[in-house]
Coordinates of all heavy atoms in Angstrom, one line a residue:
M1 N 1.1 21.7 20.6 CA 2.4 21.0 20.3 C 2.3 19.6 20.3 O 1.7 19.0 21.2 CB 3.3 21.6 21.4 CG 4.7 21.0 21.3 SD 6.0 21.8 22.1 CE 7.0 22.4 20.7
A2 N 3.0 18.8 19.4 CA 2.9 17.4 19.5 C 3.7 16.8 20.5 O 4.7 17.3 21.0 CB 3.4 16.8 18.2
Q3 N 3.3 15.7 21.0 CA 4.0 15.0 22.1 C 5.3 14.4 21.5 O 5.2 13.8 20.4 CB 3.2 13.9 22.7 CG 3.9 13.1 23.8 CD 3.1 12.8 25.0 OE1 1.9 13.2 25.1 NE2 3.7 12.4 25.9
Q4 N 6.3 14.5 22.2 CA 7.6 13.8 21.6 C 7.9 12.4 22.1 O 7.8 12.1 23.3 CB 8.7 14.7 22.1 CG 8.8 16.2 21.7 CD 8.7 16.3 20.2 OE1 9.7 15.9 19.6 NE2 7.7 16.8 19.6
Y5 N 8.0 11.6 21.2 CA 8.4 10.2 21.5 C 9.8 9.9 21.1 O 10.4 10.7 20.6 CB 7.2 9.2 20.8 CG 5.8 9.5 21.3 CD1 4.8 10.0 20.6 CD2 5.5 9.0 22.6 CE1 3.6 10.2 21.1 CE2 4.3 9.1 23.0 CZ 3.3 9.7 22.3 OH 2.1 9.8 22.8
A6 N 10.2 8.6 21.1 CA 11.4 8.1 20.8 C 11.8 8.1 19.3 O 13.0 8.2 19.0 CB 11.7 6.8 21.5
Y7 N 10.8 7.9 18.4 CA 11.1 7.7 17.1 C 10.3 8.8 16.3 O 9.2 9.0 16.4 CB 10.7 6.3 16.7 CG 11.3 5.2 17.4 CD1 10.5 4.7 18.4 CD2 12.6 4.9 17.1 CE1 11.3 3.6 19.2 CE2 13.2 3.9 17.9 CZ 12.5 3.3 19.0 OH 13.1 2.3 19.7
N8 N 11.2 9.4 15.4 CA 10.6 10.5 14.5 C 10.9 10.2 13.0 O 11.9 9.9 12.6 CB 11.3 11.8 14.9 CG 11.2 12.2 16.4 OD1 10.0 12.4 16.8 ND2 12.2 12.1 17.1
Y9 N 9.8 10.4 12.3 CA 10.0 10.0 10.9 C 9.3 11.1 9.9 O 8.4 11.9 10.3 CB 9.1 8.7 10.6 CG 9.8 7.6 11.4 CD1 9.3 7.2 12.6 CD2 10.8 6.9 10.9 CE1 9.8 6.2 13.3 CE2 11.3 5.8 11.6 CZ 10.7 5.4 12.8 OH 11.3 4.3 13.4
A10 N 9.8 11.1 8.8 CA 9.2 11.9 7.8 C 8.8 10.9 6.7 O 9.4 10.0 6.3 CB 10.3 12.8 7.0
H11 N 7.5 11.1 6.3 CA 6.9 10.2 5.2 C 7.1 10.9 3.9 O 6.9 12.0 3.6 CB 5.3 10.1 5.4 CG 4.7 9.2 4.4 ND1 4.2 9.7 3.2 CD2 4.7 8.0 4.2 CE1 3.7 8.8 2.5 NE2 3.9 7.7 3.0
I12 N 7.7 10.0 2.9 CA 8.1 10.6 1.6 C 7.1 10.0 0.6 O 6.9 8.8 0.5 CB 9.6 10.1 1.4 CG1 10.5 10.4 2.5 CG2 10.0 10.7 0.0 CD1 10.5 11.8 2.8
D13 N 6.6 10.9 -0.3 CA 5.6 10.5 -1.3 C 6.3 10.1 -2.5 O 7.5 9.9 -2.5 CB 4.5 11.5 -1.4 CG 5.0 12.8 -2.2 OD1 6.2 12.7 -2.7 OD2 4.3 13.7 -2.3
E14 N 5.5 9.7 -3.5 CA 6.1 9.0 -4.8 C 6.9 10.1 -5.5 O 7.7 9.7 -6.4 CB 5.0 8.5 -5.7 CG 3.9 9.4 -6.0 CD 2.9 9.8 -5.0 OE1 2.7 9.0 -4.0 OE2 1.9 10.6 -5.3
D15 N 6.8 11.4 -5.1 CA 7.5 12.5 -5.8 C 8.7 12.9 -5.0 O 9.4 13.9 -5.2 CB 6.7 13.6 -6.0 CG 5.5 13.3 -7.0 OD1 5.7 12.6 -8.1 OD2 4.5 13.8 -6.9
N16 N 9.1 12.1 -3.9 CA 10.2 12.3 -3.0 C 10.1 13.5 -2.2 O 11.0 13.9 -1.5 CB 11.6 12.4 -3.8 CG 11.9 11.3 -4.5 OD1 11.9 10.1 -4.1 ND2 12.2 11.5 -5.9
M17 N 8.7 13.9 -2.0 CA 8.5 15.0 -1.1 C 8.0 14.5 0.3 O 7.2 13.6 0.3 CB 7.4 16.0 -1.7 CG 7.2 17.2 -1.0 SD 5.8 18.2 -1.5 CE 4.5 17.2 -1.2
C18 N 8.3 15.3 1.3 CA 7.7 14.9 2.7 C 6.4 15.5 2.8 O 6.2 16.7 2.6 CB 8.7 15.5 3.7 SG 8.0 15.3 5.4
D19 N 5.4 14.7 3.0 CA 4.1 15.1 3.1 C 3.5 14.9 4.5 O 2.4 15.1 4.8 CB 3.1 14.4 2.1 CG 3.0 12.9 2.2 OD1 3.7 12.4 3.2 OD2 2.3 12.4 1.4
E20 N 4.4 14.4 5.4 CA 3.9 14.1 6.8 C 5.1 13.9 7.7 O 6.1 13.4 7.2 CB 3.0 12.8 6.9 CG 2.6 12.5 8.2 CD 1.8 11.2 8.3 OE1 1.9 10.4 7.4 OE2 1.1 11.0 9.4
V21 N 5.1 14.5 9.0 CA 6.2 14.2 9.9 C 5.4 13.7 11.1 O 4.4 14.2 11.5 CB 6.7 15.6 10.2 CG1 7.7 15.4 11.4 CG2 7.3 16.2 9.1
L22 N 6.0 12.5 11.6 CA 5.3 12.0 12.7 C 6.3 11.6 13.9 O 7.5 11.3 13.5 CB 4.4 10.8 12.2 CG 5.1 9.6 11.6 CD1 4.4 8.4 11.8 CD2 5.2 9.9 10.1
T23 N 5.7 11.3 15.0 CA 6.5 10.8 16.1 C 5.8 9.7 16.7 O 4.6 9.7 16.7 CB 6.8 11.9 17.1 OG1 7.7 11.5 18.1 CG2 5.6 12.5 17.8
R24 N 6.5 8.6 17.0 CA 5.9 7.3 17.5 C 6.7 6.8 18.8 O 7.8 7.1 19.0 CB 6.0 6.3 16.4 CG 5.2 6.7 15.1 CD 5.4 5.7 14.1 NE 5.4 4.3 14.5 CZ 4.4 3.5 14.4 NH1 3.3 3.8 13.6 NH2 4.5 2.3 14.8
T25 N 6.0 5.9 19.4 CA 6.5 5.2 20.5 C 7.2 3.9 20.1 O 8.1 3.4 20.8 CB 5.4 4.8 21.6 OG1 4.4 4.0 20.8 CG2 4.8 6.0 22.2
R26 N 6.9 3.5 18.8 CA 7.6 2.3 18.3 C 8.3 2.6 17.0 O 7.8 3.5 16.2 CB 6.5 1.3 17.9 CG 5.9 0.6 19.2 CD 5.1 -0.6 18.8 NE 3.9 -0.6 19.8 CZ 2.8 -1.1 19.4 NH1 2.6 -1.7 18.3 NH2 1.8 -1.2 20.3
E27 N 9.3 1.9 16.7 CA 10.2 2.0 15.6 C 9.4 1.5 14.3 O 8.7 0.5 14.5 CB 11.5 1.2 15.8 CG 12.6 1.5 14.8 CD 13.8 0.9 15.1 OE1 14.0 0.1 16.1 OE2 14.8 1.3 14.4
I28 N 9.7 2.2 13.3 CA 9.1 1.7 12.0 C 10.3 1.1 11.3 O 11.5 1.6 11.2 CB 8.6 2.9 11.0 CG1 7.4 3.4 11.7 CG2 8.4 2.3 9.6 CD1 6.8 4.6 11.0
D29 N 10.2 -0.2 10.7 CA 11.3 -0.9 10.0 C 11.4 -0.1 8.6 O 10.6 -0.4 7.6 CB 10.9 -2.3 9.8 CG 12.1 -3.1 9.1 OD1 13.0 -2.4 8.7 OD2 11.9 -4.3 8.9
T30 N 12.4 0.8 8.5 CA 12.5 1.5 7.3 C 13.0 0.7 6.1 O 13.1 1.3 5.0 CB 13.4 2.9 7.5 OG1 14.6 2.5 8.1 CG2 12.6 3.7 8.4
T31 N 13.5 -0.6 6.4 CA 13.9 -1.4 5.3 C 12.8 -2.0 4.6 O 12.9 -2.3 3.4 CB 14.8 -2.5 5.8 OG1 14.1 -3.3 6.7 CG2 16.2 -1.9 6.5
T32 N 11.7 -2.1 5.2 CA 10.5 -2.6 4.6 C 9.5 -1.6 4.2 O 8.7 -1.6 3.3 CB 9.8 -3.8 5.3 OG1 9.5 -3.3 6.7 CG2 10.7 -5.0 5.6
S33 N 9.4 -0.6 5.1 CA 8.5 0.6 4.9 C 9.4 1.7 4.3 O 9.8 2.7 5.1 CB 7.8 1.0 6.1 OG 7.0 0.0 6.6
T34 N 9.8 1.7 3.1 CA 10.7 2.6 2.5 C 10.1 4.1 2.2 O 10.8 4.9 1.9 CB 11.2 2.1 1.2 OG1 10.0 1.8 0.2 CG2 12.0 0.8 1.4
S35 N 8.9 4.1 2.6 CA 8.3 5.6 2.4 C 8.5 6.4 3.6 O 8.2 7.6 3.7 CB 6.8 5.5 2.0 OG 6.1 4.8 3.1
Y36 N 9.1 5.8 4.7 CA 9.5 6.5 5.9 C 11.0 6.7 6.1 O 11.8 5.8 5.8 CB 8.9 5.9 7.1 CG 7.4 5.8 7.2 CD1 6.7 4.8 6.6 CD2 6.8 6.9 7.7 CE1 5.3 4.9 6.8 CE2 5.4 6.9 7.8 CZ 4.6 5.9 7.2 OH 3.2 6.0 7.3
I37 N 11.3 7.9 6.3 CA 12.9 8.2 6.6 C 12.9 8.6 8.1 O 12.1 9.5 8.6 CB 13.2 9.4 5.8 CG1 13.2 9.0 4.2 CG2 14.7 9.7 6.1 CD1 13.8 7.8 3.8
E38 N 13.8 8.0 8.8 CA 13.9 8.5 10.2 C 14.7 9.8 10.3 O 15.5 10.0 9.5 CB 14.8 7.5 11.1 CG 14.9 7.8 12.5 CD 15.3 6.5 13.3 OE1 15.7 5.6 12.9 OE2 15.2 6.8 14.6
I39 N 14.2 10.8 11.1 CA 14.7 12.1 11.3 C 15.1 12.2 12.8 O 14.5 11.5 13.6 CB 13.7 13.2 10.8 CG1 12.3 13.0 11.4 CG2 13.5 13.1 9.2 CD1 11.4 14.2 11.1
P40 N 16.1 13.2 13.0 CA 16.5 13.2 14.4 C 15.6 13.8 15.4 O 15.7 13.4 16.6 CB 17.7 14.2 14.3 CG 17.8 14.7 13.0 CD 16.8 13.9 12.1
E41 N 14.6 14.5 15.0 CA 13.7 15.1 16.0 C 12.4 15.5 15.2 O 12.4 15.6 14.0 CB 14.2 16.4 16.8 CG 14.4 17.5 15.7 CD 15.0 18.7 16.3 OE1 15.3 18.7 17.6 OE2 15.2 19.8 15.7
Y42 N 11.3 15.6 15.8 CA 10.1 15.9 15.3 C 10.2 17.5 14.9 O 10.4 18.4 15.7 CB 8.8 15.8 16.2 CG 7.6 16.2 15.6 CD1 6.8 15.4 14.9 CD2 7.1 17.6 15.7 CE1 5.5 15.8 14.3 CE2 5.9 17.9 15.1 CZ 5.2 17.1 14.5 OH 3.9 17.5 13.9
N43 N 10.1 17.8 13.5 CA 10.3 19.0 13.0 C 9.4 19.3 11.8 O 9.7 18.7 10.8 CB 11.7 19.3 12.8 CG 12.2 20.7 12.3 OD1 11.2 21.5 11.9 ND2 13.4 21.0 12.3
E44 N 8.4 20.1 11.8 CA 7.6 20.3 10.7 C 8.2 21.1 9.5 O 7.6 21.2 8.5 CB 6.2 21.0 11.1 CG 5.5 20.0 12.0 CD 4.1 20.7 12.4 OE1 3.8 21.9 12.1 OE2 3.3 20.0 13.1
E45 N 9.4 21.6 9.7 CA 10.2 22.2 8.6 C 10.5 21.2 7.5 O 10.8 21.6 6.4 CB 11.4 22.8 9.2 CG 11.2 24.1 9.9 CD 12.4 24.8 10.4 OE1 13.4 24.6 9.7 OE2 12.3 25.5 11.4
Y46 N 10.4 19.9 7.8 CA 10.7 18.8 6.8 C 9.6 18.9 5.8 O 9.7 18.4 4.6 CB 10.8 17.5 7.4 CG 12.0 17.2 8.0 CD1 12.2 17.5 9.5 CD2 13.2 16.6 7.4 CE1 13.5 17.3 10.1 CE2 14.3 16.4 7.9 CZ 14.4 16.7 9.3 OH 15.7 16.5 9.9
L47 N 8.4 19.3 6.1 CA 7.2 19.3 5.2 C 7.5 19.9 4.0 O 8.1 21.1 4.1 CB 6.0 19.9 5.9 CG 5.4 19.1 6.9 CD1 4.2 19.8 7.7 CD2 4.8 17.7 6.3
F48 N 7.2 19.4 2.9 CA 7.3 19.9 1.5 C 8.7 20.2 1.1 O 9.0 20.8 0.2 CB 6.5 21.4 1.2 CG 5.1 21.2 1.8 CD1 4.8 21.9 3.0 CD2 4.3 20.4 1.2 CE1 3.5 21.7 3.5 CE2 2.9 20.3 1.6 CZ 2.5 20.9 2.7
K49 N 9.7 19.4 1.8 CA 11.1 19.3 1.3 C 11.2 18.0 0.6 O 10.3 17.1 0.8 CB 12.0 19.4 2.5 CG 11.9 20.6 3.3 CD 12.2 21.9 2.5 CE 12.3 23.1 3.4 NZ 11.0 23.6 3.9
Y50 N 12.2 17.9 -0.2 CA 12.5 16.6 -1.0 C 13.6 15.8 -0.5 O 14.7 16.4 -0.3 CB 12.8 17.0 -2.5 CG 11.5 17.6 -3.0 CD1 11.2 19.0 -2.8 CD2 10.5 16.9 -3.7 CE1 10.1 19.6 -3.4 CE2 9.4 17.4 -4.3 CZ 9.1 18.9 -4.0 OH 7.9 19.3 -4.5
Y51 N 13.4 14.5 -0.4 CA 14.5 13.6 0.0 C 15.1 12.8 -1.1 O 14.4 12.2 -1.9 CB 14.0 12.6 1.1 CG 15.0 11.9 1.8 CD1 16.0 12.3 2.6 CD2 15.1 10.5 1.3 CE1 16.9 11.5 3.0 CE2 16.1 9.7 2.0 CZ 17.0 10.1 2.9 OH 18.0 9.4 3.4
N52 N 16.5 12.9 -1.2 CA 17.1 12.2 -2.2 C 17.7 10.8 -1.7 O 18.7 10.9 -0.9 CB 18.2 13.1 -2.8 CG 19.0 12.3 -3.9 OD1 18.8 11.2 -4.2 ND2 19.7 13.1 -4.7
R53 N 17.1 9.8 -2.0 CA 17.4 8.5 -1.5 C 18.9 8.2 -2.0 O 19.6 7.3 -1.2 CB 16.6 7.4 -1.9 CG 15.2 7.6 -1.3 CD 14.2 6.5 -1.9 NE 12.9 6.8 -1.4 CZ 12.3 6.6 -0.3 NH1 13.0 6.2 0.7 NH2 11.0 7.0 0.0
A54 N 19.4 8.5 -3.2 CA 20.7 8.3 -3.7 C 21.9 8.9 -2.8 O 22.9 8.2 -2.6 CB 20.9 8.7 -5.1
D55 N 21.6 10.0 -2.2 CA 22.7 10.6 -1.4 C 22.3 10.9 0.0 O 23.1 11.3 0.8 CB 23.3 12.0 -2.1 CG 22.2 13.1 -2.1 OD1 21.1 13.0 -1.5 OD2 22.3 14.1 -2.7
G56 N 21.0 10.6 0.3 CA 20.6 10.6 1.8 C 20.5 12.0 2.3 O 20.5 12.3 3.4
K57 N 20.4 13.1 1.4 CA 20.2 14.5 1.7 C 18.8 15.0 1.4 O 18.2 14.4 0.6 CB 21.3 15.3 0.9 CG 22.7 14.8 1.4 CD 23.7 15.8 0.6 CE 25.1 15.4 1.0 NZ 26.0 16.1 0.2
W58 N 18.6 16.2 2.1 CA 17.3 16.8 1.9 C 17.5 18.1 1.0 O 18.5 18.7 1.0 CB 16.8 17.4 3.2 CG 16.3 16.3 4.0 CD1 17.0 15.5 5.0 CD2 15.0 15.7 4.0 NE1 16.1 14.5 5.5 CE2 15.0 14.6 4.9 CE3 13.8 15.9 3.2 CZ2 13.7 13.9 5.1 CZ3 12.6 15.2 3.5 CH2 12.6 14.2 4.4
Y59 N 16.5 18.3 0.2 CA 16.5 19.5 -0.7 C 15.2 20.3 -0.7 O 14.2 19.8 -0.5 CB 16.8 18.9 -2.2 CG 18.1 18.3 -2.3 CD1 18.3 16.9 -2.0 CD2 19.2 19.1 -2.8 CE1 19.6 16.3 -2.2 CE2 20.4 18.5 -2.9 CZ 20.6 17.1 -2.6 OH 21.9 16.6 -2.7
E60 N 15.4 21.6 -1.1 CA 14.2 22.4 -1.3 C 13.5 22.3 -2.6 O 12.2 22.7 -2.6 CB 14.7 23.9 -1.1 CG 15.3 24.3 0.2 CD 15.5 25.6 0.4 OE1 15.1 26.5 -0.5 OE2 16.2 26.0 1.3
D61 N 14.0 21.6 -3.5 CA 13.3 21.4 -4.8 C 13.3 20.0 -5.4 O 14.3 19.1 -4.9 CB 14.0 22.3 -5.8 CG 15.5 22.1 -5.9 OD1 16.2 21.9 -4.9 OD2 16.0 21.9 -7.1
A62 N 12.4 19.7 -6.1 CA 12.3 18.3 -6.7 C 13.4 17.8 -7.6 O 13.7 16.6 -7.7 CB 10.9 18.2 -7.5
E63 N 14.2 18.8 -8.1 CA 15.3 18.5 -8.9 C 16.7 18.2 -8.2 O 17.7 17.9 -8.7 CB 15.6 19.6 -10.0 CG 14.4 19.9 -10.9 CD 13.2 20.5 -10.4 OE1 13.4 21.3 -9.4 OE2 12.1 20.3 -10.8
F64 N 16.6 18.4 -6.9 CA 17.7 18.1 -5.9 C 18.9 19.2 -6.2 O 20.0 18.7 -6.3 CB 18.2 16.7 -5.9 CG 17.1 15.6 -5.7 CD1 17.0 14.6 -6.4 CD2 16.2 15.8 -4.7 CE1 16.0 13.6 -6.3 CE2 15.2 14.8 -4.4 CZ 15.2 13.7 -5.2
T65 N 18.6 20.4 -6.5 CA 19.6 21.3 -6.8 C 19.9 22.3 -5.5 O 21.1 22.7 -5.5 CB 19.2 22.2 -7.9 OG1 18.0 23.0 -7.7 CG2 19.2 21.4 -9.2
T66 N 19.1 22.5 -4.6 CA 19.2 23.3 -3.5 C 19.1 22.5 -2.3 O 18.1 22.1 -1.8 CB 18.2 24.5 -3.5 OG1 18.3 25.2 -4.7 CG2 18.5 25.4 -2.4
E67 N 20.2 22.2 -1.7 CA 20.3 21.3 -0.4 C 19.7 22.1 0.7 O 19.8 23.4 0.9 CB 21.8 21.0 -0.1 CG 21.7 19.9 1.0 CD 23.2 19.5 1.2 OE1 24.1 19.6 0.3 OE2 23.5 18.8 2.2
W68 N 18.9 21.3 1.6 CA 18.2 21.9 2.7 C 18.8 21.2 4.0 O 18.9 20.0 4.0 CB 16.8 21.8 2.6 CG 16.1 22.4 3.8 CD1 15.7 23.6 4.1 CD2 15.5 21.5 4.8 NE1 15.1 23.6 5.3 CE2 14.8 22.3 5.7 CE3 15.4 20.2 5.0 CZ2 14.2 21.9 6.8 CZ3 14.7 19.7 6.1 CH2 14.2 20.5 7.1
T69 N 19.1 22.0 5.0 CA 19.4 21.4 6.4 C 18.4 22.0 7.4 O 18.3 23.2 7.5 CB 20.9 21.8 6.7 OG1 21.7 21.4 5.5 CG2 21.2 21.2 8.0
P70 N 17.8 21.2 8.1 CA 16.9 21.7 9.2 C 17.7 22.6 10.3 O 18.9 22.2 10.5 CB 16.3 20.4 9.8 CG 17.2 19.3 9.5 CD 18.0 19.7 8.2
E71 N 17.0 23.5 10.8 CA 17.6 24.3 11.8 C 17.4 23.8 13.1 O 16.3 23.2 13.4 CB 17.1 25.8 11.7 CG 17.5 26.4 10.4 CD 17.0 27.8 10.3 OE1 16.6 28.6 11.2 OE2 17.0 28.3 9.1

């Protein structure tokens, strides 16, 4: 089990898919590091989900048709 720190992020690749979930002791400036999205908690369920920057929501598919909410 991963250690829990104060800051949790999903890394979003060029196809808008989450390819990594990480937890850190320091904040990432998401205004300059736009490939990272802050998430409320470390949760590997974000892996292989798609993030739509236009509406700030997560989806199960690259076409953004099926919205996804972490449990």
Side-chain angles (χ1 to χ4, degrees):
M1 172 161 250
Q3 177 133 6
Q4 299 297 301
Y5 294 111
Y7 303 100
N8 302 291
Y9 297 94
H11 180 263
I12 308 303
D13 71 10
E14 61 277 354
D15 296 320
N16 300 310
M17 185 184 73
C18 175
D19 63 359
E20 179 184 17
V21 177
L22 62 150
T23 185
R24 296 176 41 105
T25 58
R26 291 191 216 154
E27 190 173 12
I28 294 174
D29 183 355
T30 56
T31 59
T32 58
S33 297
T34 58
S35 59
Y36 291 95
I37 303 298
E38 191 164 5
I39 55 177
E41 64 182 4
Y42 180 90
N43 183 342
E44 291 183 357
E45 289 184 27
Y46 284 91
L47 290 170
F48 310 114
K49 301 300 187 288
Y50 295 84
Y51 184 74
N52 184 342
R53 294 177 193 283
D55 66 11
K57 295 179 182 179
W58 289 91
Y59 293 85
E60 292 186 13
D61 58 312
E63 293 77 26
F64 307 133
T65 59
T66 305
E67 191 173 339
W68 176 78
T69 305
E71 295 182 17

